[in-house]
Amino acid sequence: MMNTEHILLISSLLLLASLLAAHRAFRYGIPTLLLFLAVGMLAGSEGIGGIYFDNPVLAQFIGVVSLNFILFSGGLDTKWKSIKPVMWPGLMLSSAGVLITALSLGLFIHWITDFSILESFLLGSIVSSTDAAAVFSILRGRNLRLRGNMRPLLELESGSNDPMAYVLTISFLSLIVNQDQPVGHQVLLFFQQMAVGALAGYLSGRYGRKLINRLQLGFEGLYPVLTVTVMLLVFSVTTIAGGNGFLAIYITAVILANSELVHKNTIIKVFDGLAWIMQITLFLTLGLLVFPSHIVPVLGIGILIALFQIVVSRPLGVFMSLLPFRMSFREIGFTSWVGLRGAVPIVFATYPLIAGIDKSDMIFNIVFAISVVSVILQGTTIPVAARIFGISEQGRDAVPVVISGLVDDDTKTLHQEWVLPENSPAKNKKLVSLNFPDKALVAMIHRDGQYLIPGGNTELLAGDRLVVLASDAGSMEEAYKILFG
């Protein structure tokens, strides 16, 4: 029996090993999340670590909590200005695209295996959505420059399509467990989940913003804690009310991201760190849960299903979804390729395990194999695919535009000092009301011979000398326009 110190020691060593692996993986273009999974497997009962873990209920709990943070962080990093042009294509991909992928893949699984049609559709549903953690990690970690609106489209789809896959998974699982249940009941349940989830997300975003802005907590560090509380409340209350909690928290986060919010930059940075912790924890847990010896017998069928999904099911879903929007073949092709499966399908695969249906172990192991194949094959080749489809803008913007001196050559932070004039549109306004770009901030104010570190409620006065930091030239230019008109 391990005590607290042993658990903390093992946990910290696993985290350290994951971070060291991620550092090396980034240099060689290997998806970091795959390394986290490998560390968990090596530490598991059949690995060198020998840690026995066979608790799908606990793994599912960790997975659901982790997905809350990952989806919420992705929503906080979603700008309405960038997703507005791609909102309808993104919603079609995350709804109709997921449905078409699930059904077409299910038919293929039924054809090549002895799975019943409902079991086949269940397996197809589990792996039907792209993984937000994998997509966010690769697109943002590799700093890919993509033409047009490809990046916001892919991030919007990956952040919003998990609810559809979840509802399909629960629906087909319910039909298997309760085979006398009418199909119409599941259809109504689907619309209820999506409608209640969307409404709850919208209301929570609006009133959550008011709560965060009006509650005077006194300490800047408490505002991310308040936001975490809002997130968990939204998910739990929405789920209890019969709605889709994943959809609700994503919509809530998007609304907060595009609102005037006290200590907004701090909240976003804290959630970015929490999302990484949750991604590592999630993949480590799933790596511990799997038994590699159980994967080997189903590896062949898993690879076959993964290849069919990559070559047929995913492109079919993307093509049918984007057909009304006159997107080019190159855009459709690249969107099809960035259909990574990762931790989310593995988490969803724990639901059949807990329900105890026939073939639940086989379904879990096949899903694990599909996810690994997808991350290896698609995750490592996204930059190459971007160049093949002519979507990459690498080579453009290769030379950074610098407005003024660099504060730090490593972080490439831009620095400016401006004196606020009498005719400034920002005069006598609070910082929170200025809608500053997320990648810029007023770091310090020199006023009446004193230096002030401003917060969201700090009011700007004429004559203030502002120290402004930004991570790129565009954000600095946008900050200038806000302060000087």
Side-chain angles (χ1 to χ4, degrees):
M1 184 71 179
M2 290 190 297
N3 56 29
T4 303
E5 291 77 13
H6 289 141
I7 294 173
L8 291 176
L9 175 63
I10 293 171
S11 300
S12 58
L13 288 175
L14 287 176
L15 286 173
L16 180 61
S18 300
L19 292 172
L20 293 175
H23 172 69
R24 305 298 297 180
F26 182 80
R27 292 183 59 186
Y28 296 105
I30 304 171
T32 55
L33 302 182
L34 183 64
L35 270 296
F36 301 153
L37 200 63
V39 170
M41 294 174 67
L42 287 172
S45 56
E46 295 185 347
I48 57 176
I51 301 173
Y52 183 81
F53 181 74
D54 188 16
N55 191 336
V57 176
L58 178 57
Q60 185 185 103
F61 173 78
I62 294 173
V64 169
V65 173
S66 299
L67 289 178
N68 271 255
F69 283 92
I70 294 167
L71 289 175
F72 200 87
S73 177
L76 284 179
D77 206 26
T78 301
K79 304 297 176 289
W80 174 249
K81 183 170 63 176
S82 64
I83 68 169
K84 186 178 180 180
V86 297
M87 184 177 68
W88 291 115
L91 292 179
M92 283 295 290
L93 282 172
S94 61
S95 54
V98 171
L99 179 62
I100 295 169
T101 300
L103 296 181
S104 59
L105 187 60
L107 291 174
F108 176 74
I109 294 169
H110 182 60
W111 179 51
I112 65 169
T113 68
D114 61 348
F115 282 21
S116 69
I117 189 65
L118 288 179
E119 290 169 342
S120 301
F121 283 146
L122 172 62
L123 178 51
S125 299
I126 290 172
V127 295
S128 60
S129 67
T130 58
D131 186 79
V135 173
F136 290 160
S137 171
I138 291 173
L139 290 184
R140 295 173 185 178
R142 304 288 288 276
N143 196 26
L144 291 174
R145 294 187 180 95
L146 303 178
R147 294 180 185 275
N149 295 315
M150 288 304 304
R151 182 173 179 137
L153 174 65
L154 295 169
E155 293 190 351
L156 173 62
E157 181 208 3
S158 64
S160 61
N161 65 5
D162 291 336
M164 183 69 172
Y166 172 79
V167 171
L168 290 175
T169 299
I170 297 301
S171 298
F172 284 115
L173 182 60
S174 298
L175 289 173
I176 293 172
V177 174
N178 306 303
Q179 298 196 8
D180 57 340
Q181 190 178 74
V183 177
H185 174 77
Q186 293 301 324
V187 175
L188 290 176
L189 179 64
F190 165 77
F191 286 107
Q192 173 191 311
Q193 284 255 325
M194 304 306 281
V196 173
L199 179 62
Y202 173 74
L203 294 176
S204 300
R206 291 198 60 180
Y207 290 101
R209 173 182 60 83
K210 292 181 180 180
L211 176 65
I212 294 170
N213 285 340
R214 291 181 181 179
L215 204 58
Q216 300 295 323
L217 297 177
F219 297 96
E220 183 177 356
L222 289 178
Y223 284 89
V225 179
L226 175 60
T227 310
V228 170
T229 305
V230 170
M231 176 196 73
L232 296 177
L233 276 173
V234 171
F235 178 82
S236 56
V237 172
T238 303
T239 304
I240 292 171
N244 192 299
F246 295 118
L247 179 62
I249 61 171
Y250 183 74
I251 293 175
T252 300
V254 171
I255 292 175
L256 293 178
N258 294 277
S259 303
E260 298 169 354
L261 210 61
V262 173
H263 302 304
K264 185 176 181 179
N265 287 328
T266 300
I267 292 171
I268 291 174
K269 289 176 182 177
V270 168
F271 264 91
D272 183 55
L274 289 173
W276 272 108
I277 292 174
M278 291 300 172
Q279 287 178 33
I280 296 173
T281 303
L282 173 58
F283 274 76
L284 284 176
T285 302
L286 296 175
L288 288 171
L289 182 64
V290 73
F291 289 80
S293 62
H294 297 178
I295 303 293
V296 175
V298 299
L299 185 59
I301 192 68
I303 293 174
L304 187 60
I305 294 173
L307 292 177
F308 184 84
Q309 182 181 53
I310 294 170
V311 177
V312 180
S313 294
R314 167 71 177 176
L316 178 64
V318 171
F319 177 77
M320 296 298 292
S321 301
L322 298 182
L323 191 61
F325 302 103
R326 298 181 180 178
M327 295 186 69
S328 68
F329 169 77
R330 294 176 180 273
E331 293 170 324
I332 292 175
F334 183 69
T335 303
S336 300
W337 191 255
V338 190
L340 280 80
R341 273 61 189 167
V344 174
I346 305 174
V347 173
F348 288 170
T350 62
Y351 284 88
L353 277 177
I354 294 172
I357 67 170
D358 292 338
K359 299 188 177 72
S360 59
D361 286 330
M362 186 179 294
I363 288 174
F364 179 84
N365 293 321
I366 290 175
V367 168
F368 192 92
I370 291 171
S371 296
V372 171
V373 170
S374 175
V375 174
I376 292 176
L377 183 58
Q378 295 171 284
T380 58
T381 57
I382 284 180
V384 176
R387 289 193 294 271
I388 291 174
F389 286 104
I391 301 299
S392 174
E393 283 194 341
Q394 292 178 356
R396 292 188 180 188
D397 305 322
V399 180
V401 180
V402 179
I403 294 179
S404 66
L406 294 175
V407 174
D408 188 332
D409 287 338
D410 293 328
T411 60
K412 298 294 186 293
T413 302
L414 303 176
H415 162 247
Q416 283 279 25
E417 291 187 19
W418 295 319
V419 176
L420 202 70
E422 283 286 347
N423 62 349
S424 169
K427 176 185 172 184
N428 299 329
K429 290 185 178 180
K430 294 181 179 180
L431 279 174
V432 70
S433 67
L434 296 181
N435 197 24
F436 240 57
D438 291 331
K439 295 183 179 180
L441 77 155
V442 178
M444 192 176 296
I445 299 176
H446 186 246
R447 178 188 296 168
D448 298 329
Q450 295 182 335
Y451 286 96
L452 310 175
I453 297 180
N457 289 318
T458 302
E459 190 175 289
L460 299 183
L461 305 178
D464 283 350
R465 180 177 291 276
L466 310 177
V467 177
V468 181
L469 303 180
S471 61
D472 57 69
S475 297
M476 185 67 81
E477 183 178 0
E478 189 176 347
Y480 181 89
K481 291 178 181 178
I482 291 171
L483 294 172
F484 294 90

